[in-house]
Amino acid sequence: MKYQSYLIIEGVDLPLPNSYDLEFRDIEADTGGETEAGTIQRDIVRNKVASISVGFSCSPKLVKTLSNFANKSNLKVKFLDTETLELKETQMYMDKFQVKLIKDTSYKGLWEVSFSLEEY
């Protein structure tokens, strides 16, 4: 039985992450703010823009694959939308890429990789 896919980047179905944090936010125009009457006015340009933070325990092979993704400016990503529990496809970029050695092994180590994906 196959596990639930959480992330597919550039056609690569990534393994089950240690952590998966999905946030949706609205993008507001500079014209919004507080009116003279003291009420808040929001001029929303885009709503529900996805931001995903993930962490993986990785083999050296997966570290290399993820590092290659970090060097690209535009990624085709399918992610698990927690509202529908279905995969949603969008264009994203990778940010805050971090790699940390957890344990040195005879197979070039066990690594912890974390990053965020931001929707365009």
Side-chain angles (χ1 to χ4, degrees):
M1 185 170 117
K2 187 180 180 314
Y3 62 88
Q4 168 69 51
S5 291
Y6 285 81
L7 274 177
I8 300 172
I9 301 176
E10 295 291 316
V12 177
D13 194 353
L14 298 178
L16 185 66
N18 295 342
S19 62
Y20 183 87
D21 183 24
L22 173 63
E23 175 185 1
F24 290 112
R25 65 186 192 289
D26 294 336
I27 306 295
E28 295 183 28
D30 292 338
T31 56
E34 192 170 332
T35 66
E36 290 180 10
T39 59
I40 301 293
Q41 178 172 337
R42 295 178 69 205
D43 294 330
I44 298 175
V45 177
R46 289 180 59 205
N47 65 342
K48 291 189 66 175
V49 176
S51 178
I52 306 167
S53 297
V54 292
F56 294 93
S57 294
C58 300
S59 66
K61 182 180 176 183
L62 185 55
V63 171
K64 187 175 181 179
T65 300
L66 293 173
S67 295
N68 288 335
F69 291 152
N71 293 326
K72 293 184 177 184
S73 61
N74 192 2
L75 299 167
K76 184 171 123 181
V77 176
K78 291 182 181 177
F79 66 93
L80 181 69
D81 185 341
T82 54
E83 292 178 345
T84 63
L85 294 180
E86 294 180 3
L87 291 177
K88 179 180 176 184
E89 186 173 328
T90 189
Q91 295 292 318
M92 303 183 103
Y93 65 93
M94 194 178 283
D95 196 23
K96 300 175 188 166
F97 186 78
Q98 285 189 309
V99 179
K100 184 168 101 174
L101 179 64
I102 299 298
K103 184 176 183 180
D104 189 16
T105 67
S106 59
Y107 297 105
K108 299 184 182 177
L110 174 64
W111 299 85
E112 182 180 293
V113 176
S114 62
F115 56 88
S116 64
L117 291 165
E118 306 293 334
E119 186 175 12
Y120 277 107

Coordinates of all heavy atoms in Angstrom, one line a residue, residues 23-86:
E23 N 0.4 26.9 5.1 CA -0.3 28.1 5.5 C -0.8 28.8 4.3 O -0.1 28.9 3.2 CB 0.7 29.0 6.2 CG 0.2 30.4 6.6 CD 1.3 31.3 7.1 OE1 2.4 30.9 7.2 OE2 0.9 32.5 7.5
F24 N -2.0 29.3 4.3 CA -2.6 30.1 3.3 C -2.7 31.6 3.8 O -3.1 31.8 4.9 CB -4.0 29.7 2.9 CG -4.0 28.3 2.2 CD1 -4.6 27.2 2.8 CD2 -3.5 28.2 0.9 CE1 -4.6 26.0 2.1 CE2 -3.5 27.0 0.2 CZ -4.1 25.9 0.8
R25 N -2.3 32.5 2.9 CA -2.3 33.9 3.3 C -2.9 34.8 2.1 O -2.9 34.3 1.0 CB -1.0 34.4 3.7 CG 0.1 34.5 2.7 CD 1.4 34.9 3.2 NE 2.4 35.1 2.1 CZ 2.9 34.3 1.3 NH1 2.6 33.0 1.4 NH2 3.8 34.7 0.4
D26 N -3.4 35.9 2.5 CA -3.9 36.8 1.4 C -2.8 37.9 1.1 O -2.1 38.3 2.0 CB -5.1 37.6 1.9 CG -6.3 36.6 2.2 OD1 -6.3 35.6 1.6 OD2 -7.2 37.0 3.0
I27 N -2.7 38.2 -0.1 CA -1.8 39.3 -0.6 C -2.6 40.6 -0.7 O -3.6 40.6 -1.5 CB -1.1 39.0 -1.9 CG1 -0.4 37.6 -1.9 CG2 -0.2 40.1 -2.3 CD1 0.7 37.5 -0.9
E28 N -2.2 41.6 0.0 CA -3.0 42.9 0.0 C -2.3 43.9 -0.8 O -1.0 44.0 -0.8 CB -3.2 43.4 1.4 CG -4.1 42.4 2.3 CD -4.3 43.0 3.7 OE1 -4.3 44.2 3.8 OE2 -4.5 42.2 4.6
A29 N -3.0 44.8 -1.4 CA -2.5 46.0 -2.1 C -2.1 47.0 -1.1 O -2.5 47.0 0.0 CB -3.5 46.5 -3.1
D30 N -1.2 47.9 -1.5 CA -0.7 49.0 -0.6 C -1.9 50.0 -0.4 O -1.7 50.9 0.5 CB 0.4 49.7 -1.2 CG 1.7 48.9 -1.3 OD1 1.8 47.9 -0.5 OD2 2.6 49.1 -2.1
T31 N -2.9 50.0 -1.1 CA -4.0 50.9 -1.0 C -4.9 50.7 0.3 O -5.7 51.5 0.6 CB -4.9 51.0 -2.2 OG1 -5.4 49.7 -2.5 CG2 -4.1 51.4 -3.4
G32 N -4.8 49.5 0.9 CA -5.6 49.2 2.0 C -5.1 49.9 3.3 O -4.1 50.7 3.2
G33 N -5.7 49.7 4.4 CA -5.2 50.3 5.6 C -6.4 50.8 6.5 O -7.5 50.4 6.3
E34 N -6.1 51.7 7.4 CA -7.1 52.2 8.2 C -7.7 53.5 7.6 O -7.0 54.4 7.2 CB -6.6 52.5 9.6 CG -7.6 52.8 10.7 CD -7.0 52.8 12.0 OE1 -6.0 52.2 12.3 OE2 -7.6 53.5 12.9
T35 N -9.0 53.6 7.6 CA -9.7 54.8 7.1 C -9.7 55.9 8.1 O -9.4 55.6 9.3 CB -11.2 54.5 6.6 OG1 -11.9 54.1 7.8 CG2 -11.2 53.3 5.6
E36 N -10.2 57.1 7.7 CA -10.3 58.2 8.7 C -11.3 57.9 9.8 O -11.2 58.4 10.9 CB -10.8 59.5 8.0 CG -9.7 60.0 7.1 CD -10.1 61.3 6.4 OE1 -11.2 61.8 6.7 OE2 -9.4 61.7 5.5
A37 N -12.3 57.0 9.5 CA -13.3 56.6 10.5 C -12.8 55.6 11.5 O -13.4 55.2 12.4 CB -14.5 56.1 9.8
G38 N -11.6 55.0 11.2 CA -11.0 54.1 12.1 C -11.3 52.6 11.7 O -10.9 51.7 12.5
T39 N -11.9 52.4 10.6 CA -12.2 51.0 10.2 C -11.0 50.5 9.3 O -10.3 51.3 8.6 CB -13.5 50.9 9.4 OG1 -13.4 51.7 8.2 CG2 -14.7 51.3 10.2
I40 N -10.8 49.2 9.3 CA -9.8 48.6 8.5 C -10.4 48.3 7.1 O -11.4 47.7 7.0 CB -9.3 47.3 9.1 CG1 -8.7 47.6 10.5 CG2 -8.2 46.6 8.2 CD1 -7.4 48.5 10.5
Q41 N -9.6 48.7 6.0 CA -10.0 48.4 4.7 C -8.9 47.5 4.1 O -7.8 47.9 4.1 CB -10.2 49.6 3.8 CG -10.6 49.3 2.4 CD -10.9 50.5 1.6 OE1 -11.3 51.5 2.1 NE2 -10.8 50.4 0.3
R42 N -9.3 46.3 3.6 CA -8.4 45.4 2.9 C -8.6 45.4 1.5 O -9.7 45.1 1.1 CB -8.5 44.0 3.5 CG -8.1 44.0 5.0 CD -8.3 42.6 5.5 NE -7.3 41.7 4.9 CZ -7.4 40.4 4.8 NH1 -8.5 39.8 5.2 NH2 -6.5 39.6 4.3
D43 N -7.6 45.7 0.6 CA -7.7 45.5 -0.8 C -6.9 44.3 -1.2 O -5.7 44.4 -1.3 CB -7.2 46.8 -1.5 CG -8.1 48.0 -1.3 OD1 -9.3 47.8 -1.1 OD2 -7.5 49.1 -1.3
I44 N -7.6 43.2 -1.3 CA -7.0 41.9 -1.5 C -6.7 41.7 -3.0 O -7.6 41.7 -3.8 CB -7.8 40.7 -0.9 CG1 -7.9 40.9 0.6 CG2 -7.2 39.4 -1.3 CD1 -8.8 39.9 1.3
V45 N -5.4 41.5 -3.3 CA -5.0 41.3 -4.7 C -5.2 39.8 -5.0 O -5.7 39.4 -6.1 CB -3.6 41.7 -4.9 CG1 -3.1 41.4 -6.3 CG2 -3.4 43.2 -4.6
R46 N -4.7 38.9 -4.1 CA -4.8 37.5 -4.3 C -5.1 36.9 -2.9 O -4.6 37.3 -1.9 CB -3.5 36.9 -4.8 CG -3.2 37.2 -6.2 CD -1.9 36.5 -6.7 NE -1.9 35.1 -6.5 CZ -0.8 34.3 -6.4 NH1 0.4 34.9 -6.3 NH2 -0.9 33.0 -6.3
N47 N -6.0 35.9 -2.9 CA -6.3 35.2 -1.7 C -5.8 33.7 -1.7 O -5.7 33.2 -2.8 CB -7.8 35.3 -1.3 CG -8.7 34.6 -2.2 OD1 -8.3 34.3 -3.3 ND2 -9.9 34.3 -1.8
K48 N -5.6 33.2 -0.6 CA -5.2 31.8 -0.4 C -3.9 31.4 -1.2 O -3.8 30.5 -2.0 CB -6.3 30.8 -0.8 CG -7.5 30.9 0.2 CD -8.4 29.8 -0.1 CE -7.7 28.5 0.2 NZ -8.6 27.3 0.1
V49 N -2.8 32.2 -1.0 CA -1.5 32.0 -1.5 C -0.8 31.0 -0.6 O -0.7 31.2 0.6 CB -0.7 33.2 -1.7 CG1 0.7 32.9 -2.2 CG2 -1.4 34.2 -2.6
A50 N -0.4 29.9 -1.1 CA 0.2 28.8 -0.3 C 1.6 29.1 0.1 O 2.4 29.5 -0.7 CB 0.1 27.5 -1.0
S51 N 2.0 28.7 1.3 CA 3.3 28.7 1.9 C 3.5 27.4 2.6 O 2.7 27.1 3.6 CB 3.5 29.9 2.8 OG 4.8 29.9 3.3
I52 N 4.5 26.6 2.3 CA 4.7 25.3 2.9 C 6.0 25.2 3.5 O 7.0 25.5 2.9 CB 4.5 24.2 1.9 CG1 3.2 24.3 1.1 CG2 4.6 22.8 2.5 CD1 3.1 23.4 -0.1
S53 N 6.1 24.8 4.8 CA 7.4 24.5 5.5 C 7.4 23.0 5.7 O 6.5 22.4 6.3 CB 7.5 25.2 6.8 OG 7.5 26.6 6.6
V54 N 8.5 22.4 5.3 CA 8.7 20.9 5.5 C 10.1 20.6 6.0 O 11.0 21.3 5.8 CB 8.5 20.1 4.1 CG1 7.0 20.2 3.7 CG2 9.4 20.6 3.0
G55 N 10.2 19.4 6.6 CA 11.4 18.9 7.0 C 11.5 17.4 6.7 O 10.5 16.7 6.8
F56 N 12.7 16.9 6.3 CA 12.9 15.5 6.0 C 14.1 15.0 6.6 O 15.1 15.7 6.8 CB 13.1 15.3 4.4 CG 11.9 15.7 3.6 CD1 11.8 17.0 3.1 CD2 11.0 14.7 3.3 CE1 10.7 17.3 2.2 CE2 9.9 15.0 2.5 CZ 9.8 16.3 2.0
S57 N 14.1 13.7 6.9 CA 15.3 12.9 7.2 C 15.7 12.3 5.9 O 14.9 11.6 5.3 CB 15.1 11.8 8.3 OG 14.7 12.5 9.5
C58 N 16.9 12.5 5.5 CA 17.3 12.2 4.1 C 18.5 11.3 4.0 O 19.5 11.4 4.8 CB 17.6 13.4 3.3 SG 16.2 14.6 3.2
S59 N 18.5 10.5 2.9 CA 19.8 9.9 2.4 C 20.6 10.9 1.6 O 20.0 11.9 1.2 CB 19.4 8.7 1.5 OG 18.8 9.2 0.4
P60 N 21.8 10.6 1.4 CA 22.6 11.5 0.6 C 22.0 11.8 -0.8 O 22.1 12.9 -1.4 CB 24.0 10.9 0.5 CG 24.1 10.0 1.7 CD 22.7 9.6 2.0
K61 N 21.4 10.7 -1.4 CA 20.8 10.8 -2.7 C 19.7 11.9 -2.7 O 19.6 12.7 -3.6 CB 20.3 9.5 -3.2 CG 19.7 9.5 -4.6 CD 19.2 8.1 -4.9 CE 18.5 8.2 -6.3 NZ 17.9 6.9 -6.7
L62 N 18.8 11.8 -1.7 CA 17.7 12.8 -1.6 C 18.2 14.2 -1.3 O 17.7 15.2 -1.8 CB 16.7 12.4 -0.6 CG 15.4 13.2 -0.5 CD1 14.7 13.3 -1.8 CD2 14.5 12.6 0.6
V63 N 19.3 14.3 -0.5 CA 19.9 15.6 -0.2 C 20.3 16.3 -1.6 O 20.1 17.5 -1.8 CB 21.1 15.5 0.7 CG1 21.8 16.9 0.8 CG2 20.6 15.1 2.1
K64 N 20.9 15.5 -2.4 CA 21.4 16.0 -3.7 C 20.3 16.4 -4.6 O 20.3 17.5 -5.2 CB 22.2 14.9 -4.4 CG 22.9 15.4 -5.7 CD 23.8 14.3 -6.2 CE 24.5 14.8 -7.5 NZ 25.3 13.8 -8.1
T65 N 19.2 15.6 -4.6 CA 18.0 16.0 -5.4 C 17.4 17.3 -4.9 O 17.1 18.2 -5.7 CB 17.0 14.8 -5.3 OG1 17.5 13.6 -5.8 CG2 15.7 15.2 -6.1
L66 N 17.2 17.4 -3.6 CA 16.6 18.6 -3.0 C 17.5 19.8 -3.2 O 17.0 20.9 -3.5 CB 16.3 18.4 -1.5 CG 15.2 17.4 -1.2 CD1 15.1 17.1 0.3 CD2 13.9 17.8 -1.8
S67 N 18.8 19.6 -3.1 CA 19.7 20.7 -3.4 C 19.6 21.3 -4.8 O 19.7 22.5 -5.0 CB 21.2 20.3 -3.1 OG 21.3 20.0 -1.7
N68 N 19.4 20.4 -5.7 CA 19.2 20.8 -7.1 C 18.0 21.6 -7.3 O 17.9 22.6 -8.1 CB 19.2 19.6 -8.1 CG 20.6 18.9 -8.3 OD1 21.6 19.6 -8.1 ND2 20.6 17.7 -8.6
F69 N 16.9 21.2 -6.6 CA 15.6 22.0 -6.6 C 15.9 23.4 -6.1 O 15.3 24.3 -6.5 CB 14.5 21.3 -5.9 CG 14.0 20.0 -6.5 CD1 13.5 19.0 -5.7 CD2 14.1 19.8 -7.8 CE1 13.0 17.8 -6.2 CE2 13.6 18.6 -8.4 CZ 13.1 17.6 -7.6
A70 N 16.7 23.5 -5.0 CA 16.9 24.8 -4.4 C 17.6 25.8 -5.3 O 17.4 27.0 -5.1 CB 17.8 24.6 -3.1
N71 N 18.3 25.3 -6.3 CA 19.0 26.1 -7.2 C 18.1 26.6 -8.4 O 18.5 27.5 -9.1 CB 20.2 25.4 -7.8 CG 21.3 25.2 -6.8 OD1 21.5 26.0 -5.9 ND2 22.0 24.0 -6.9
K72 N 16.9 26.1 -8.5 CA 16.0 26.5 -9.5 C 15.1 27.6 -9.1 O 14.7 27.7 -7.9 CB 15.1 25.3 -10.0 CG 15.9 24.2 -10.7 CD 15.0 23.1 -11.2 CE 15.8 22.1 -11.9 NZ 14.9 21.1 -12.5
S73 N 14.8 28.6 -10.0 CA 13.9 29.7 -9.6 C 12.4 29.4 -9.7 O 11.6 30.2 -9.2 CB 14.3 30.9 -10.5 OG 14.1 30.6 -11.8
N74 N 12.1 28.4 -10.4 CA 10.6 28.1 -10.6 C 10.5 26.6 -10.6 O 11.1 25.8 -11.3 CB 10.2 28.6 -12.0 CG 8.7 28.6 -12.1 OD1 8.0 28.3 -11.2 ND2 8.2 29.1 -13.3
L75 N 9.6 26.1 -9.7 CA 9.3 24.7 -9.6 C 7.9 24.3 -9.8 O 7.0 25.1 -9.3 CB 9.7 24.2 -8.2 CG 11.2 24.4 -7.8 CD1 11.4 24.2 -6.3 CD2 12.1 23.4 -8.5
K76 N 7.6 23.2 -10.4 CA 6.2 22.7 -10.6 C 6.0 21.8 -9.4 O 6.7 20.8 -9.2 CB 6.1 22.0 -11.9 CG 4.7 21.5 -12.1 CD 4.6 20.9 -13.6 CE 4.1 19.5 -13.5 NZ 4.0 18.9 -14.8
V77 N 5.0 22.2 -8.5 CA 4.8 21.5 -7.3 C 3.4 21.0 -7.1 O 2.4 21.8 -7.4 CB 5.2 22.4 -6.0 CG1 4.9 21.7 -4.7 CG2 6.6 22.9 -6.1
K78 N 3.2 19.8 -6.7 CA 1.9 19.3 -6.3 C 2.0 19.1 -4.8 O 2.9 18.5 -4.3 CB 1.6 18.0 -7.0 CG 1.3 18.1 -8.4 CD 0.9 16.7 -9.0 CE 0.7 16.8 -10.5 NZ 0.4 15.5 -11.1
F79 N 1.1 19.7 -4.0 CA 1.1 19.6 -2.6 C -0.2 19.2 -2.1 O -1.3 19.4 -2.7 CB 1.5 20.9 -1.9 CG 0.6 22.1 -2.1 CD1 -0.4 22.3 -1.2 CD2 0.6 22.9 -3.2 CE1 -1.3 23.3 -1.3 CE2 -0.3 23.9 -3.4 CZ -1.2 24.2 -2.4
L80 N -0.2 18.6 -0.9 CA -1.5 18.1 -0.2 C -2.2 19.3 0.4 O -1.7 20.0 1.3 CB -1.2 17.1 0.8 CG -2.4 16.6 1.6 CD1 -3.3 15.7 0.6 CD2 -2.1 15.8 2.8
D81 N -3.3 19.7 -0.2 CA -4.2 20.8 0.3 C -4.9 20.2 1.5 O -5.7 19.3 1.4 CB -5.1 21.2 -0.8 CG -5.9 22.5 -0.3 OD1 -6.1 22.7 0.9 OD2 -6.5 23.1 -1.2
T82 N -4.7 20.7 2.7 CA -5.3 20.2 3.9 C -6.8 20.5 4.0 O -7.5 19.9 4.9 CB -4.6 20.7 5.2 OG1 -4.5 22.2 5.1 CG2 -3.1 20.2 5.2
E83 N -7.3 21.4 3.2 CA -8.8 21.6 3.2 C -9.5 20.6 2.4 O -10.6 20.2 2.8 CB -9.1 23.0 2.6 CG -8.6 24.1 3.5 CD -8.8 25.5 2.9 OE1 -9.1 25.6 1.7 OE2 -8.7 26.5 3.6
T84 N -9.0 20.1 1.3 CA -9.6 19.1 0.5 C -9.0 17.7 0.6 O -9.6 16.7 0.1 CB -9.6 19.5 -1.0 OG1 -8.2 19.6 -1.4 CG2 -10.3 20.9 -1.2
L85 N -7.8 17.6 1.2 CA -7.0 16.4 1.3 C -6.8 15.8 -0.1 O -6.7 14.6 -0.3 CB -7.7 15.4 2.2 CG -7.7 15.8 3.7 CD1 -8.4 14.7 4.5 CD2 -6.4 16.1 4.2
E86 N -6.6 16.7 -1.1 CA -6.2 16.3 -2.4 C -5.0 17.1 -2.9 O -4.7 18.1 -2.3 CB -7.4 16.6 -3.4 CG -8.6 15.7 -3.2 CD -9.7 16.0 -4.1 OE1 -9.5 16.8 -5.1 OE2 -10.8 15.4 -4.0

